[in-house]
Amino acid sequence: MGLTLLLIIGALSFAFFYLRRKMNYWKDHGIPCLTPSYIFGNLDGVGQKIHFTTNLQNIYENFKNGNKLCGFFFLQSPRIMVMDLELIKNILIKDFNNFIDRGVFHTDEDPLSNHLFAIEGEKWRSLRHKLSATFTSGKMRMMYPIIESFSSDLVNLIESLSSNKDGIDVKNVCTRFTADVIGSCGFGLECNAMRDENTEMMRMGKFFDITDTKIRLNFFFVNIFQSFAKKLNMKITPQFITDFFLPMIKETFEYREKNDVNRNDFLSLLMQIKKYGKLKDEEMENVGTLTFNELAAQAFIFFVAGFETSSTTMTMALYELAYRYDIQEKLRIEIEEVVSRHDGIISYDAISEMTYLDQVINETLRLYSPIGQLFRICAADYEVDGMNFTIDKGMPIIIPVHAIHHDSRYYYDPELFNPDRFSSEEVKKRPHYSFLPFGTGPRNCIGERFGIMQSKLSIATIIKNFRLSLHEETRYPLLMDCKNIVVTAFQPIMMNAERLM
Ligand code: HEM
């Protein structure tokens, strides 16, 4: 009995001193850090009372003045938050070769996990090189008619819902539009989500809406304890997603190969790279072919990365426009004017000329960045310019995009939705790298053009055809859902839409 008690006391003391030493990491390095708790580090209340992004913003606000970076603890693991814009530039661009990877979990046992967002080093570089050709402005122009073909369904859907006395659930509408667009441009599928919201694609889209506790815990576990999770043969992609996507991509792929089908979508472009190591009719070097699993993982990431981000951007822009009649009216005047010069059609050239719409979207992305932070891993010890401090090899780095976008040093009255901040004169007054909704540098968002094109077309279509206002039960500002990893409102955003003739 006495020995057992002694052993327990010994083990507890060891754990205590081990943790205390660990949690002194930043203090020992002379780097500012909020006092962490031994169990949750600096994540106390995250996912319960506070969103991860807001938590980072609080840390940022504590240390932003006079510090290039600060430390924090992700549970017991030390991480760095970089706040200085020059240092951000160095990490994302100048010294990119030392910060290529994000440290996202992926494994060969989970074929859909080996996608561009997660893979590392030279493998990433080679794949990115291959895929870049699928996102040029020429390719966007080519895909535009596919997206445009959904405009009439969008108008019909809103019109059919507009008599609902509880208003229109705007997130639901935007998600259904995005499911149809991405299903079609990604996989050549007719999802019909705008005609029937219970389609499989909509159910799959909920994958990123990580409020399901089991999916959420698995997601965090595999990412935090990566080697352990690999030893346990764990996967990041839920089985029901793999069971849906892999056969669907395989079936479409085999059908197209057999029947020599060529369509202006991502799958066709990926199939060309798979077969020829390049796009078929283009003068470009052979960049090496893809395996079927590599192709499937890329088609899948286009869906995951494009789905929630684009529908959130559309939703939040419409929410702000419904609240701010003056901005909505100014935007409508621009849309009418530009469209009248393009035979009444919201064509690719027409949306390219809508500069105020660009400003509205940029301001939405500033205020509600769907991805609130960027991640990088330090590949080799890195001396920080102008500081007597070296970032250790393997250290995870976070760039707090949301906090920078809400920093009053860069954006006066930061909580106010004001698209005028993005006029070319105002943009020139701000420092570079104070606006990073798509990241920057060689590992920025590859789908930026597609995300913007889709958001612009849908917003222009809605504002041209409807006058929006918030339903009386929709609050302003919104209460955000702290459980979700992306920016999502806690309650549905309900709106009224009056048809314009
Ligand atoms: C408004 C819409 C979107 C936003 C705000 C957004 C934002 C981002 C951000 C912040 C990153 C990380 C960049 C970095 O670490 O520097 C990223 C990466 C990525 N995004 Fe997007 N994204 C959007 C739409 C899309 C779309 C439509 C697609 C695909 C069709 C896409 C595909 C990707 C991929 C594949 C990556 C990983 C790139 C790499 O690691 O090389 N995104 N996105």
Side-chain angles (χ1 to χ4, degrees):
M1 179 68 186
L3 184 65
T4 315
L5 193 67
L6 216 62
L7 282 174
I8 293 173
I9 294 173
L12 285 177
S13 314
F14 176 77
F16 173 76
F17 285 110
Y18 172 76
L19 272 180
R20 197 170 71 165
R21 205 175 129 70
K22 233 182 147 170
M23 302 315 257
N24 273 344
Y25 183 90
W26 291 122
K27 212 170 163 193
D28 294 346
H29 283 77
I31 297 295
C33 175
L34 295 180
T35 309
S37 88
Y38 280 15
I39 297 177
F40 296 111
N42 295 112
L43 297 184
D44 247 348
V46 168
Q48 299 300 325
K49 291 188 219 134
I50 184 170
H51 195 280
F52 179 59
T53 301
T54 320
N55 183 52
L56 288 183
Q57 188 183 3
N58 293 344
I59 299 175
Y60 175 93
E61 285 297 326
N62 263 282
F63 297 121
K64 69 179 186 186
N65 289 313
N67 294 299
K68 284 177 190 260
L69 50 82
C70 68
F72 74 100
F73 288 89
F74 196 94
L75 306 179
Q76 289 80 32
S77 150
R79 312 228 155 159
I80 285 179
M81 182 197 290
V82 180
M83 300 176 288
D84 176 68
L85 300 183
E86 195 58 29
L87 184 54
I88 289 178
K89 179 184 90 178
N90 291 349
I91 288 175
L92 295 179
I93 302 175
K94 186 171 149 273
D95 300 322
F96 172 73
N97 286 339
N98 200 38
F99 299 96
I100 298 182
D101 303 332
R102 291 201 178 90
V104 173
F105 183 80
H106 63 103
T107 149
D108 288 345
E109 279 66 52
D110 179 359
L112 294 183
S113 71
N114 285 324
H115 48 66
L116 193 66
F117 196 87
I119 59 170
E120 287 136 9
E122 283 312 307
K123 253 190 162 175
W124 165 78
R125 212 186 280 278
S126 151
L127 190 62
R128 173 90 188 203
H129 189 45
K130 290 175 198 170
L131 297 181
S132 293
T134 56
F135 288 94
T136 59
S137 42
K139 292 288 171 296
M140 295 302 109
R141 184 184 279 277
M142 187 184 87
M143 277 181 205
Y144 187 83
I146 304 184
I147 308 182
E148 212 232 317
S149 68
F150 292 108
S151 312
S152 52
D153 277 356
L154 182 60
V155 172
N156 292 342
L157 175 64
I158 295 179
E159 192 159 19
S160 70
L161 297 172
S162 61
S163 54
N164 188 346
K165 69 173 176 27
D166 295 327
I168 300 167
D169 179 344
V170 68
K171 178 76 194 255
N172 174 280
V173 169
C174 295
T175 309
R176 289 163 74 177
F177 172 78
T178 315
D180 279 350
V181 166
I182 302 231
S184 185
C185 289
F187 310 100
L189 287 183
E190 278 186 31
C191 301
N192 281 327
M194 280 191 284
R195 295 183 189 177
D196 171 11
E197 66 175 314
N198 298 314
T199 57
E200 272 297 85
M201 202 63 148
M202 283 289 285
R203 202 166 69 79
M204 297 305 136
K206 298 251 182 306
F207 165 60
F208 212 59
D209 185 18
I210 307 186
T211 37
D212 179 304
T213 311
K214 238 170 85 192
I215 296 181
R216 208 155 51 104
L217 286 180
N218 180 69
F219 180 85
F220 286 115
F221 186 88
V222 297
N223 273 306
I224 296 170
F225 307 105
Q226 299 206 3
S227 353
F228 189 48
K230 276 186 186 157
K231 281 197 187 111
L232 293 178
N233 276 335
M234 289 177 77
K235 297 175 178 174
I236 190 167
T237 320
Q239 195 58 39
F240 76 96
I241 297 277
T242 309
D243 291 346
F244 172 75
F245 274 100
L246 258 191
M248 185 263 282
I249 299 168
K250 198 167 179 62
E251 206 177 290
T252 320
F253 170 81
E254 285 174 353
Y255 176 83
R256 287 193 184 187
E257 243 194 1
K258 195 164 153 217
N259 298 289
D260 204 15
V261 176
N262 198 1
R263 211 169 161 270
N264 287 336
D265 60 17
F266 287 129
L267 188 60
S268 273
L269 298 173
L270 289 173
M271 285 176 70
Q272 288 176 31
I273 297 175
K274 179 182 182 306
K275 196 163 175 184
Y276 307 109
K278 68 188 218 29
L279 297 182
K280 198 172 154 203
D281 298 322
E282 284 188 22
E283 286 291 317
M284 58 185 283
E285 60 171 315
N286 184 321
V287 285
T289 55
L290 293 173
T291 63
F292 172 77
N293 276 354
E294 281 173 337
L295 175 146
Q298 308 330 309
F300 173 65
I301 192 63
F302 292 168
F303 174 74
V304 177
F307 188 81
E308 189 67 27
T309 49
S310 304
S311 63
T312 299
T313 306
M314 283 168 63
T315 305
M316 302 320 287
L318 294 172
Y319 169 68
E320 286 290 346
L321 290 168
Y323 182 68
R324 291 290 304 272
Y325 293 117
D326 53 337
I327 297 176
Q328 186 185 147
E329 211 41 53
K330 184 169 171 187
L331 178 60
R332 186 169 298 111
I333 291 169
E334 173 182 84
I335 295 167
E336 295 288 359
E337 190 277 319
V338 174
V339 164
S340 70
R341 289 189 277 105
H342 289 269
D343 304 324
I345 296 166
I346 306 179
S347 61
Y348 183 84
D349 289 326
I351 61 161
S352 311
E353 285 174 31
M354 294 178 189
T355 51
Y356 190 62
L357 179 54
D358 267 328
Q359 292 177 218
V360 166
I361 289 177
N362 282 340
E363 178 64 344
T364 306
L365 288 169
R366 178 191 72 81
L367 210 45
Y368 307 100
S369 259
I371 300 185
Q373 45 279 323
L374 310 175
F375 301 91
R376 295 292 187 269
I377 301 286
C378 178
D381 286 0
Y382 179 81
E383 241 177 75
V384 178
D385 274 354
M387 261 180 101
N388 185 16
F389 173 63
T390 301
I391 302 179
D392 286 346
K393 174 183 175 183
M395 176 65 70
I397 311 272
I398 283 200
I399 293 165
V401 171
H402 173 89
I404 294 170
H405 287 181
H406 289 249
D407 186 334
S408 56
R409 295 175 303 177
Y410 311 130
Y411 299 97
Y412 174 74
D413 200 358
E415 300 312 317
L416 182 75
F417 183 79
N418 175 13
D420 291 341
R421 298 180 204 274
F422 285 92
S423 68
S424 48
E425 306 80 60
E426 288 302 313
V427 170
K428 274 186 215 133
K429 291 183 196 161
R430 271 193 300 274
H432 289 305
Y433 313 105
S434 55
F435 184 57
L436 295 166
F438 295 99
T440 189
R443 202 153 191 180
N444 71 345
C445 172
I446 198 171
E448 173 174 352
R449 286 196 181 101
F450 186 84
I452 288 188
M453 173 171 75
Q454 174 185 330
S455 306
K456 281 183 91 171
L457 170 63
S458 55
I459 293 167
T461 303
I462 294 173
I463 297 300
K464 179 173 181 292
N465 287 287
F466 299 94
R467 181 166 289 117
L468 303 178
S469 57
L470 291 188
H471 187 265
E472 58 192 17
E473 281 179 20
T474 301
R475 49 177 284 169
Y476 190 99
L478 284 174
L479 199 59
M480 304 314 275
D481 181 1
C482 64
K483 285 204 167 81
N484 213 310
I485 60 162
V486 289
V487 175
T488 318
F490 186 62
Q491 281 162 330
I493 301 177
M494 305 306 285
M495 245 175 233
N496 306 313
E498 177 199 337
R499 183 79 157 99
L500 298 165
M501 289 305 151

